[in-house]
Amino acid sequence: MSTALPDRATLRGACTDFARAAAREIMRIYAGDLGERAKADKSPVTDADHAAEAIIVAGLRALTPDRPVVAEEEMAAGRVPTLDSGPFWLVDPLDGTKEFIKRNGEFTVNIALIENGQPTFGIVLAPATDTVWRGDRELGADKSEGGGAFASIRTRKPPPGGLVACASRSHAIYSDLDIWFRNNGLTVAERVQAGSSLKFCLIAEGKADIYPRFGPTNEWDTAAGQGVLEAAGGEVVTTDDQPLVYGKPGFGNPHFIARSKAAR
């Protein structure tokens, strides 16, 4: 039988420290040789992915010794933990590796806690700008810029002229998005391209309204962003309007829509 998790504030503070430590190591590597190479599935990986993951996984295992940690690079190496019915962690140590390699700054550190199939806590940190978004089901959502104090964030009601829609910088297929928006009677006034889980955070802080994703993603790509967005008043649903759940066999996601609840 597993022991109880630490209280929510303790979890949030510890994960903030882990993410910041990982970000410092990522930026150290970013300044020099990235150590870029290809994984077995041909996707890119760098020294920063592995270094950041080692820091976060060690921290989480010390914080919650009996809770499984599902981490992207460990999964790629075949180290798949056994999940029970209790909470587990999902970690993407460097989401947006392609953006990291391009050196455009749009990459993030992602840590999420999954309870009963849902992300109840998420933290997304953008190392290049030292911006942190956090969301907890009990504590709400907040943001810190440049190492400053955290301030509360919330989703917004979409402006009268139409939605601001987020799209992936590396994966967007606008024709598919246009068809979906038209079929759902949604007016899009502006599109914002962003890499990695930044799209969830833009909606969470009221700078955008909706992010449809009609391509492959894994659970570690989305869990932290979903945790932030839902704590800020948003939601992430499948195309048949069901909640996006976690702990699925293979950890792959179906197509999904991230949005403020006012953008339905």
Side-chain angles (χ1 to χ4, degrees), residues 3 60-68 89:
T3 56
L60 293 175
R61 287 180 176 152
L63 180 68
T64 56
D66 61 345
R67 292 295 84 216
W89 296 97

Side-chain angles (χ1 to χ4, degrees), residues 166-181 191 193 211-216 255:
C166 293
S168 170
R169 187 172 296 286
S170 296
H171 302 284
I173 303 172
Y174 282 123
S175 58
D176 291 349
L177 295 176
D178 290 338
I179 292 167
W180 185 83
F181 285 128
R191 296 180 191 272
Q193 279 195 319
Y211 164 42
R213 177 59 186 260
F214 304 139
H255 297 173

Side-chain angles (χ1 to χ4, degrees), residues 148-220:
F150 280 91
S152 179
I153 56 173
R154 291 289 296 173
T155 56
R156 70 179 184 181
K157 183 179 179 181
L163 303 173
V164 173
C166 293
S168 170
R169 187 172 296 286
S170 296
H171 302 284
I173 303 172
Y174 282 123
S175 58
D176 291 349
L177 295 176
D178 290 338
I179 292 167
W180 185 83
F181 285 128
R182 187 167 61 246
N183 289 346
N184 286 272
L186 298 173
T187 300
V188 175
E190 183 183 350
R191 296 180 191 272
V192 178
Q193 279 195 319
S196 68
S197 51
L198 294 169
K199 297 175 282 290
F200 293 91
C201 299
L202 289 173
I203 302 170
E205 62 178 293
K207 292 182 178 177
D209 305 296
I210 193 164
Y211 164 42
R213 177 59 186 260
F214 304 139
T217 58
N218 291 306
E219 292 185 5
W220 47 82

Side-chain angles (χ1 to χ4, degrees), residues 10 12 37 44 48 52 65 68 71 85-86 112 115 133 136 158 162 176 222 261:
T10 298
R12 185 174 69 174
R37 52 203 178 273
S85 59
E115 297 179 273
W133 297 264
D136 181 273
D176 291 349
T222 58
K261 291 182 179 177

